[in-house]
């Protein structure tokens, strides 16, 4: 059983990591809590003070949105906040399109809001924020929320914080602080990946009070002072240097990345730092081939926009059971996609059949525009045969986009097989789960490079807020070292659990674990074809059980953090299918994603303690049978 001070006993709805104002996960410590979250159970809803940023609108963003609604909105209007006019325009276009398709036409309007301190006689760009507001009727909220969730392009909680710091302090009786009108809960309209989202806090007043009491113990100035004084971050005006450091780190061109020798900032971002040939396995990669985005999902969305902008208007392919919103993006923007959800070698035959059918119908047309896949996939950790897919791409002239978030470029080399590689930097690249980010890298050896590069040069817009980038750069300085530890920990845990599983051939009576989904055991040959000599198998794995009761007992008794996200420096688990596919369990099961699947991201804890914790959970699962 869990101990009174176990991480799994952190309060329901509290920030993960604890006491972190901009945490990107939330504590959902029991199976029942996760089900309650999906069903909108009052007990769970009322406890939520934070959540994963693309699904839960952070309380600081909520407060800023309420101010904007009062200042610019008409009666019964809600709003979404974006960092640029281009993104706001895209949100409005999406809303109008989806509402029309749903048979409920709507309208939306844009407001450009320049925010600067009132006591500034001549506002400078350094202290001015340009906020773009999309205002729409309240009943159009689901369409606005879809764009926010799928694209990850909304403003961050840090940007909202900065905007609020520039505005006059509200009095306790201000409508912004005293309003009790909650935002409309979100429910997606598509069948696949549809999730009933719980309403957010029951009132702005109570939510903001909780936020102030629990998450704002230090003032903004105190937080900045501590970060800069102890060398953890660059000064807050050095965002461009932080971004340059990250682009070089991701491109693999740093000759030395001696973060320990640079206590006051990243040498990696200096103008005169020594760079050399990339170690990413592809000739001529430079930092200029790397593009940063505010979230991993915005990098994937931008990759799809890149395809739509450079390829003929034909369907793409989603190869494998990818993360929730990747399929949504391919379905809702452009001509649609072919979904090959198993991602096994047999699906390559199905892919060739699709290509031949398309060519038969129109021999002069491109059969598919692009193929999107994860290496390995989330949550089944399956790896596609990338070399065969590459050969097909060369033969039929389509683009390959690979999401390397789970594998990460310390462990695997997929850039050599891809035209575009995307990643969520919010995961292991950061590790601290306190900031979001994403990246897109172009392969300069790709036959499509010149076209893709020209389009990115003409259309790329940097909307990554500087303070978020500064935190991300700080977090990523030792990511390679952290990954080695996490790889070794995960391997030890998975070997232990598989030795007690049916798939592992255990001799123990009545085993409760059916399979351990981990690249060492799943589509191993495909993974090894891209695994670097010094690379590991990664820090993520999933388990399936012989009964739902065993799944629940195992999850409830794990003495680790429980919540969404992955790639954290601490162990983090969730009942993945419940969180991602609660209202389509049967559909997910068709692709091997079982209702009782538990996904676990292993952290840097002491290894023996990890093994003992999983032993406790396993015994509880065995006792539940």
């Amino acid at each position: 059983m869990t101990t009174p001070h176990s991480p799994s006993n952190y309060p329901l709805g509290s920030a993960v990591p604890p006491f972190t104002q901009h945490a990107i996960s939330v504590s959902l410590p029991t199976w029942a809590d996760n089900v309650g979250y999906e069903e909108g159970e009052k007990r769970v809803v009322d406890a939520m003070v934070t959540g994963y940023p693309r699904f839960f609108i952070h309380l600081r963003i909520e407060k800023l949105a309420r101010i904007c609604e009062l200042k610019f909105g008409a009666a019964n209007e809600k709003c979404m906040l974006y960092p640029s006019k281009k993104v706001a325009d895209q949100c409005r276009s999406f809303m109008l399109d989806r509402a029309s398709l749903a048979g409920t036409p709507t309208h939306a309007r844009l407001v450009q809001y320049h925010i600067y301190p009132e006591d500034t006689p001549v506002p400078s760009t350094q202290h001015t924020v340009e906020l773009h507001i999309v205002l729409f009727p309240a009943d159009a909220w689901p369409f606005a929320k879809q764009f926010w969730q799928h694209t990850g392009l909304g403003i961050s909680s840090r940007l909202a914080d900065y905007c609020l710091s520039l505005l006059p302090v509200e009095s306790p009786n201000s409508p912004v602080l005293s309003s009790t009108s909650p935002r409309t809960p979100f429910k997606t309209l598509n069948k696949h990946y549809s999730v009933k989202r719980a309403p957010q806090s029951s009132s702005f007043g109570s939510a903001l009070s909780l936020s102030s009491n629990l998450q704002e113990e230090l003032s903004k100035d105190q937080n900045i002072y501590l970060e800069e004084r102890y060398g953890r971050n660059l000064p807050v005006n050095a965002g461009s240097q932080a971004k340059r450091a990250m682009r070089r780190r991701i491109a693999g061109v740093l000759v030395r990345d001696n973060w320990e020798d640079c206590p006051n900032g990243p040498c990696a971002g200096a103008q005169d730092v020594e760079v050399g040939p990339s170690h990413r396995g592809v000739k001529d990669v430079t930092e200029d081939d790397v593009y940063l985005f505010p979230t991993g999902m915005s990098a994937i969305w931008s990759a799809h926009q890149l395809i739509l902008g450079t390829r003929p208007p034909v369907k793409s392919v989603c190869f494998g059971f990818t993360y929730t919103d990747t399929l949504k993006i391919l379905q809702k923007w452009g001509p649609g996609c072919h979904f090959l959800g198993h991602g096994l070698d047999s699906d390559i035959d199905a892919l060739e059949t699709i290509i031949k059918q398309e060519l038969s119908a129109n021999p002069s047309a491109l059969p598919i525009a692009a193929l999107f896949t994860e290496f390995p996939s989330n949550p089944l950790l399956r790896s596609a045969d990338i070399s065969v897919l590459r050969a097909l791409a060369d033969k039929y002239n389509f683009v390959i986009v690979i999401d390397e978030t789970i594998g990460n470029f310390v462990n695997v080399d997929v850039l050599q097989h891809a035209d575009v590689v995307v990643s969520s930097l919010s995961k292991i690249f950061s590790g601290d789960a306190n900031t979001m980010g994403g990246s897109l890298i172009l392969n300069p050896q790709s036959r499509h490079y010149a076209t893709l590069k020209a389009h990115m040069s003409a259309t790329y817009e940097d909307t990554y807020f500087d303070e978020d980038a500064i935190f991300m750069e700080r977090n990523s300085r030792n990511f390679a070292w952290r990954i080695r530890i996490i790889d070794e920990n995960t391997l030890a845990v998975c070997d232990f659990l598989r030795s007690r599983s049916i798939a592992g051939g255990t001799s123990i009576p009545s085993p409760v674990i059916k399979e351990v989904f981990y690249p060492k055991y799943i589509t191993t040959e495909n993974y090894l074809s891209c695994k670097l000599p010094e690379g590991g198998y990664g820090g993520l794995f999933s388990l399936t059980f012989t009964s739902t009761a065993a799944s629940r007992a195992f999850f409830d008794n794990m003495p680790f953090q429980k919540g969404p996200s992955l790639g954290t420096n601490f162990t983090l688990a969730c009942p993945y299918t419940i969180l991602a596919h609660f209202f389509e369990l049967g559909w997910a099961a068709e692709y091997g994603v079982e209702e009782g699947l538990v996904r676990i991201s292993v952290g840097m804890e002491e290894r023996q303690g990890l093994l003992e914790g999983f032993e406790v959970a396993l015994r509880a699962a065995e006792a539940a049978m």
Side-chain angles (χ1 to χ4, degrees):
M1 298 297 292
T2 57
T3 64
H5 300 290
S6 165
S8 63
N9 280 336
Y10 285 133
L12 167 65
S14 62
V16 174
F19 310 110
T20 302
Q21 183 179 6
H22 301 287
I24 67 170
S25 189
V26 60
S27 179
L28 295 168
T30 70
W31 194 279
D33 293 336
N34 285 269
V35 172
Y37 171 73
E38 292 300 323
E39 293 181 336
E41 184 182 339
K42 188 176 187 301
R43 171 187 67 87
V44 178
V45 171
D46 288 351
M48 302 283 289
V49 297
T50 190
Y52 193 74
R54 287 188 302 102
F55 292 91
F56 183 98
I57 308 298
H58 193 280
L59 299 180
R60 304 298 284 169
I61 300 175
E62 284 279 5
K63 179 177 179 180
L64 183 60
R66 180 62 176 151
I67 291 172
C68 292
E69 288 167 1
L70 292 173
K71 188 176 183 68
F72 302 108
N76 199 38
E77 277 193 329
K78 296 293 183 183
C79 78
M80 282 293 196
L81 308 177
Y82 291 100
S84 77
K85 183 180 185 301
K86 179 180 178 181
V87 177
D89 275 330
Q90 289 163 331
C91 175
R92 177 171 59 179
S93 296
F94 175 85
M95 291 181 65
L96 299 183
D97 177 59
R98 301 310 295 185
S100 178
L101 289 173
T104 57
T106 190
H107 61 273
R109 59 193 181 90
L110 308 184
V111 172
Q112 184 175 340
Y113 184 19
H114 286 273
I115 304 175
Y116 56 87
E118 286 192 334
D119 58 356
T120 304
V122 181
S124 66
T125 56
Q126 182 178 352
H127 299 291
T128 302
V129 174
E130 187 178 294
L131 194 63
H132 293 267
I133 307 165
V134 182
L135 288 151
F136 47 84
D139 59 9
W141 170 258
F143 303 112
K145 184 60 170 63
Q146 286 179 51
F147 184 86
W148 180 280
Q149 175 185 323
H150 299 332
T151 68
L153 289 168
I155 69 166
S156 72
S157 55
R158 280 194 181 85
L159 178 51
D161 231 8
Y162 183 65
C163 290
L164 291 169
S165 74
L166 300 179
L167 294 172
V169 177
E170 299 289 341
S171 69
N173 296 323
S174 164
V176 175
L177 296 180
S178 61
S179 169
T180 58
S181 173
R183 285 216 167 215
T184 307
F186 167 57
K187 184 176 181 180
T188 54
L189 302 179
N190 253 5
K191 174 183 176 183
H192 296 318
Y193 294 116
S194 64
V195 178
K196 180 181 179 183
R197 290 294 154 202
Q200 306 215 351
S201 173
S202 59
S203 73
F204 285 105
S206 61
L208 293 172
S209 175
L210 281 169
S211 180
S212 297
N213 291 338
L214 295 178
Q215 297 181 328
E216 297 180 20
E217 295 176 0
L218 292 177
S219 71
K220 180 78 171 177
D221 288 343
Q222 287 172 318
N223 273 313
I224 291 173
Y225 169 78
L226 288 173
E227 291 294 339
E228 294 180 4
R229 170 65 178 81
Y230 294 102
R232 297 185 300 208
N233 276 356
L234 281 166
V236 294
N237 60 355
S240 60
Q241 187 178 355
K243 292 174 184 178
R244 189 183 309 117
M246 284 191 288
R247 293 201 314 273
R248 289 170 175 170
R249 202 164 281 148
I250 294 165
V253 298
L254 290 166
V255 174
R256 288 178 297 277
D257 195 358
N258 298 329
W259 55 273
E260 291 178 316
D261 298 333
C262 305
N264 297 316
C267 301
Q271 291 284 3
D272 58 351
V273 72
E274 184 180 2
V275 297
S278 171
H279 55 71
R280 290 295 302 259
V282 173
K283 183 182 177 183
D284 297 331
V285 177
T286 73
E287 66 192 80
D288 293 331
D289 295 316
V290 179
Y291 300 85
L292 299 179
F293 296 90
T295 64
M297 218 65 237
S298 59
I300 294 171
W301 183 84
S302 297
H304 184 46
Q305 292 296 306
L306 175 60
I307 299 303
L308 294 177
T310 57
R311 312 291 286 161
V314 295
K315 289 183 178 181
S316 289
V317 171
C318 184
F319 193 86
F321 198 93
T322 58
Y323 175 68
T324 303
D325 287 298
T326 299
L327 179 59
K328 288 282 197 179
I329 288 170
L330 299 181
Q331 289 173 334
K332 292 186 179 183
W333 280 269
C337 77
H338 303 284
F339 181 51
L340 300 175
H342 294 287
L344 299 171
D345 290 353
S346 57
D347 278 340
I348 295 179
D349 296 332
L351 172 62
E352 284 201 86
T353 298
I354 289 171
I355 290 173
K356 290 175 181 177
Q357 288 173 344
E358 295 290 339
L359 288 173
S360 176
N362 191 347
S364 63
L366 190 71
I368 61 173
L371 180 143
F372 288 72
T373 192
E374 297 172 344
F375 195 94
S377 66
N378 174 20
L380 295 179
L381 284 302
R382 288 173 177 167
S383 304
D385 191 334
I386 300 296
S387 60
V388 172
L389 292 177
R390 179 72 263 166
L392 285 175
D394 291 340
K395 181 178 180 180
Y396 295 108
N397 196 32
F398 61 84
V399 172
I400 290 184
V401 181
I402 299 179
D403 183 344
E404 68 173 5
T405 300
I406 309 301
N408 75 70
F409 60 86
V410 172
N411 287 329
V412 296
D413 175 15
V414 297
L415 182 59
Q416 61 177 317
H417 301 293
D419 302 288
V420 181
V421 170
V422 293
S423 184
S424 173
L425 305 180
S426 316
K427 308 305 190 292
I428 191 61
F429 190 77
S430 168
D432 279 346
N434 64 358
T435 191
M436 301 281 281
S439 66
L440 181 155
I441 183 169
L442 300 178
N443 179 354
Q445 299 305 311
S446 163
R447 66 163 71 172
H448 307 287
Y449 176 75
T451 301
L452 299 176
K453 181 70 173 179
H455 189 82
M456 288 298 294
S457 297
T459 62
Y460 173 72
E461 181 180 44
D462 181 7
T463 61
Y464 195 16
F465 184 49
D466 282 355
E467 285 190 34
D468 290 313
I470 287 166
F471 273 79
M472 182 65 74
E473 190 284 322
R474 183 279 308 270
N475 294 350
S476 70
R477 293 176 195 174
N478 63 352
F479 83 102
W481 170 74
R482 288 186 285 104
I483 287 169
R484 305 291 187 212
I485 295 172
I486 288 172
D487 283 351
E488 293 174 2
N489 279 350
T490 312
L491 181 60
V493 168
C494 287
D495 281 347
F496 163 68
L497 293 173
R498 196 161 197 270
S499 72
R500 305 279 287 271
S501 73
I502 295 172
T506 183
S507 59
I508 64 172
S510 304
V512 294
I513 298 176
K514 288 199 301 186
E515 180 63 278
V516 180
F517 291 88
Y518 190 55
K520 182 180 178 181
Y521 324 119
I522 303 296
T523 57
T524 308
E525 185 176 345
N526 292 343
Y527 184 86
L528 290 176
S529 70
C530 293
K531 179 177 172 292
L532 292 167
E534 68 280 10
Y537 292 98
L540 189 74
F541 71 95
S542 295
L543 301 173
T544 52
F545 295 84
T546 55
S547 72
T548 302
S551 294
R552 293 175 64 113
F554 185 92
F555 181 80
D556 288 350
N557 286 274
M558 277 192 295
F560 308 116
Q561 294 276 21
K562 319 280 184 61
S565 200
L566 57 91
T568 47
N569 294 334
F570 49 88
T571 298
L572 184 66
C574 73
Y576 181 85
T577 316
I578 295 297
L579 275 183
H581 308 290
F582 187 70
F583 293 99
E584 53 191 10
L585 296 174
W587 175 79
E590 292 176 12
Y591 297 96
V593 182
E594 298 181 11
E595 176 181 351
L597 182 144
V598 175
R599 189 191 71 182
I600 301 158
S601 176
V602 177
M604 299 176 65
E605 297 93 339
E606 188 270 329
R607 192 167 305 155
Q608 187 58 38
L610 281 171
L611 293 170
E612 290 173 359
F614 282 105
E615 174 72 28
V616 167
L618 187 55
R619 287 178 181 173
E622 291 168 347
M625 294 296 293

